Amino acid sequence: MSEGARTDSIDFIREIIRSDIDSGRHREVVTRFPPEPNGYLHIGHAKSICLNFGVALQFGGRCHLRFDDTNPTKEETEYIESIMRDVRWLGFDWGEHLYFASDYFEQLYEWAEHLITAGEAYVDDLSAEEIRAYRGTLTEAGRPSPWRERGVAENLDLFRRMRAGEFADGARVLRAKIDMAAGNINLRDPVLYRILHATHPRTGDAWCIYPTYDFAHGQSDAIEHITHSLCTLEFEGHRPLYDWFIDHLPVPARPRQIEFARLNLTHTVMSKRRLLALVRGGHVNGWDDPRMPTLSGMRRRGYPPEAIRAFADRVGVAKRDSVVDFALLEHTVRDVLNRTAERRMGVLDPVKVVLTNYPAGRVEELTAVNNPEDESAGTRQVPFGRELYIERADFMEEPPKKFYRLAPGREVRLRYAYLITCDEVVKDADGRVVELRCRYDEATRGGDAPDGRRVRGTLHWVSAAHAVPAEVRVYEHLFTRPDPGADGDAMADLNPASLEVLTGCMLEPSLGELAAGERVQLERQGYFVGDPDSGPGRLVLNRTVTLRDTWAKMVAKGTADG
Ligand code: ATP
Ligand code: MG
């Protein structure tokens, strides 16, 4: 998709919807986002959310949030709550249209009896393993279960007794009676109901049989009068089955399913099963670890929801699977933060500078610009004094030619302050630099020399007497390779250096009050955000993204593909 792709651009899904409206087939568009509450949402879900809610907004319809909560063993209230929080955070509103597939359990049960009565479903006593063996393969037809020809009365009786709790888990299932020789394996008498004596987060112990996802999903769409059921490509092969149910049941509406390609991102994994394994295995600090591709992780990392929406927009909707470079996501994040985040100064790896000719005890307030991209952000005062911190990497005792920062005898500019020259390097017993003794030029306040002499390097700094200490967490990709697991186990590709915790960082005093979730740019370093681990007397920041735009470089070199 090209650089300028926007929400109102027309992709193949929007084209179909537009023509359904133009032809009068639908007056109103109704879509839904149907998560299974068995994990936290990830950036792939964001693509689906932006599509479903975006289409509804664009065509003046509505989008439902429906939890497909048919599997009580994997579902938890925690997930339901996190999903609602994340959809809202992304900026979408389902209004009063919050639904649960479990609300339809009674209706689905009735429809199952409807199929039995019509001779189109039967109770099977085969075990799950036997069912699999009887199903056949892609090249071989399946075999009918010995229970396939049970009579309607017996099937009804057994199904009712399944519901009543007479049988153990796995003892029997209800199957549709379609075609054991169908080329599409989904049509080989799929299971509709299984026995599960499990407590459901919403229906409690009311049920001990649960519909399968396949039996619940399409009918739930029909109950809600969904006009367009947008789903990912892996459901293409299920469409004939969903249509079969719709054709054989007295449903109130006929949704149209359209499949699109999943979003895949480099350097990460994107299935709830694998993300759960990362959490359970302690490889990350929870679902909202800033290295996770989850929306809660990205929120904690400092990604603005606006950037995620712009990213979804930019990758667009297609029929073909592809992998998007993580650098494009970071580029989009940087783009939003460049416009919106205020600039501050902070030193991550401090070394002390003493200005030998600056009066002890004197403090000046210097004016700093909050955001050069946004004049309305105004300015702030930053204290300056005799003792400062600068970045250790901004000094070299024996600098190579192109090093324009501080070195013995060299002059640099301190941002918004003065030009200083280094006279002396103080080291400890191990030879480590502990202090730089410098001179400032009083005539250069603001950073310009009256005699017009050129100084190339400009460094950020913090006044030592006013600095606020902080812990800064610096993140790299969670996996070392762009395609984790391509050579076997993805866990073997985990990046051992994905988190670096920097302590003793020194920030300008205005950052003392940085709230969790508040985003800033630390000049020359990148974008950062306050972490909820902060508290009284403790300041923790996460690095959201660096200032280096690898995506722009890829575009320049012609290696970008997104
Ligand atoms: P996962 O495979 O990551 O566990 P899922 O498909 O099982 O995800 P659901 O809760 O069923 O998760 O997904 C809800 C909706 O989000 C579905 O319509 C699904 O198609 C869509 N979705 C899930 N992953 C992606 C993705 N990577 N890109 C686009 N849409 C996705
Ligand atoms: Mg799923």
Side-chain angles (χ1 to χ4, degrees), residues 33-36 42 44-45 48 232 260 262-263 270-272:
F33 174 64
E36 228 176 306
H42 51 61
H45 293 117
S48 174
T232 36
F260 64 94
R262 297 174 84 82
L263 170 70
M270 202 120 66
S271 87
K272 283 181 279 188

Side-chain angles (χ1 to χ4, degrees), residues 4-11 14-15 18 54 58-59 313:
R6 302 213 329 264
T7 338
D8 54 358
S9 61
I10 278 284
D11 49 58
R14 288 173 164 91
E15 247 164 46
R18 175 157 290 167
Q58 186 178 348
F59 293 96
D313 221 24

Side-chain angles (χ1 to χ4, degrees), residues 482-529:
D483 50 355
D487 268 359
D489 182 14
M491 293 299 180
D493 298 324
L494 275 169
N495 178 4
S498 58
L499 166 63
E500 192 187 353
V501 178
L502 309 176
T503 53
C505 306
M506 293 293 177
L507 312 182
E508 68 166 79
S510 68
L511 289 171
E513 303 294 303
L514 189 75
E518 203 180 326
R519 308 175 185 100
V520 290
Q521 181 193 104
L522 292 184
E523 294 206 16
R524 301 176 64 227
Q525 313 263 20
Y527 295 97
F528 295 78
V529 64

Side-chain angles (χ1 to χ4, degrees), residues 142-413:
R143 281 177 293 144
S145 161
W147 310 103
R148 196 173 196 263
E149 300 309 329
R150 266 181 168 143
V152 168
E154 189 186 353
N155 278 321
L156 260 186
D157 174 60
L158 284 172
F159 189 50
R160 287 176 182 167
R161 287 162 60 196
M162 279 168 62
R163 176 179 184 169
E166 265 189 51
F167 311 118
D169 287 4
R172 297 197 152 90
V173 294
L174 182 73
R175 299 177 70 175
K177 195 169 176 178
I178 306 181
D179 179 4
M180 286 310 290
N184 182 340
I185 290 188
N186 294 305
L187 295 176
R188 294 184 191 169
D189 292 11
V191 173
L192 308 183
Y193 269 87
R194 60 241 196 270
I195 303 172
L196 259 180
H197 291 268
T199 303
H200 187 281
R202 289 181 58 84
T203 57
D205 295 318
W207 295 88
C208 62
I209 56 171
Y210 290 95
T212 53
Y213 182 88
D214 274 347
F215 188 60
H217 184 74
Q219 280 77 278
S220 299
D221 282 347
I223 291 169
E224 293 177 19
H225 291 265
I226 301 299
T227 55
H228 298 85
S229 304
L230 312 180
C231 65
T232 36
L233 284 177
E234 72 271 23
F235 291 102
E236 201 165 13
H238 295 239
R239 181 161 20 99
L241 174 60
Y242 296 169
D243 287 343
W244 187 92
F245 289 137
I246 298 296
D247 288 341
H248 290 78
L249 292 171
V251 291
R254 193 167 227 295
R256 170 166 184 188
Q257 175 171 309
I258 308 169
E259 304 88 12
F260 64 94
R262 297 174 84 82
L263 170 70
N264 299 296
L265 261 191
T266 61
H267 297 283
T268 192
V269 293
M270 202 120 66
S271 87
K272 283 181 279 188
R273 185 177 51 77
R274 289 169 128 188
L275 297 176
L276 182 64
L278 287 171
V279 173
R280 293 246 167 101
H283 303 290
V284 293
N285 301 312
W287 285 98
D288 69 342
D289 186 301
R291 291 168 290 179
M292 290 281 270
T294 53
L295 295 181
S296 52
M298 291 183 172
R299 170 168 61 234
R300 192 163 178 181
R301 175 97 175 234
Y303 288 11
E306 178 191 353
I308 294 177
R309 292 196 302 268
F311 173 72
D313 221 24
R314 181 141 179 197
V315 298
V317 183
K319 262 289 186 201
R320 187 175 49 91
D321 273 315
S322 68
V323 184
V324 176
D325 203 292
F326 204 90
L328 177 61
L329 175 60
E330 294 196 316
H331 172 85
T332 316
V333 167
R334 215 178 268 117
D335 199 45
V336 172
L337 292 177
N338 181 42
R339 284 185 275 112
T340 55
E342 293 201 354
R343 276 52 167 174
R344 293 290 183 269
M345 290 196 287
V347 177
L348 301 187
D349 183 11
V351 66
K352 187 171 265 185
V353 166
V354 177
L355 301 177
T356 51
N357 60 340
Y358 194 91
R362 177 164 154 199
V363 176
E364 284 178 82
E365 295 287 339
L366 301 173
T367 302
V369 173
N370 282 333
N371 187 351
E373 304 287 323
D374 175 10
E375 212 175 305
S376 72
T379 60
R380 69 187 183 286
Q381 299 299 105
V382 187
F384 182 86
R386 178 181 161 91
E387 299 202 349
L388 311 165
Y389 293 114
I390 64 164
E391 212 67 61
R392 186 168 284 280
D394 280 339
F395 173 81
M396 273 185 100
E397 203 166 6
E398 286 162 43
K401 223 182 181 151
K402 293 214 162 155
F403 186 81
Y404 298 119
R405 294 171 264 169
L406 199 59
R410 288 267 189 91
E411 187 170 49
V412 295
R413 177 183 299 102

Side-chain angles (χ1 to χ4, degrees), residues 134-149:
Y134 275 69
R135 193 167 47 203
T137 63
L138 285 174
T139 51
E140 240 178 281
R143 281 177 293 144
S145 161
W147 310 103
R148 196 173 196 263
E149 300 309 329

Side-chain angles (χ1 to χ4, degrees), residues 435-476:
E435 187 177 304
L436 300 168
R437 301 184 68 81
C438 304
R439 238 173 321 117
Y440 88 112
D441 179 351
E442 200 183 348
T444 60
R445 189 178 154 129
D448 288 313
D451 62 7
R453 70 183 184 272
R454 268 186 76 204
V455 169
R456 293 184 78 153
T458 300
L459 310 186
H460 60 276
W461 53 272
V462 187
S463 159
H466 305 89
V468 187
E471 172 182 324
V472 176
R473 300 173 184 166
V474 170
Y475 303 99
E476 298 292 343

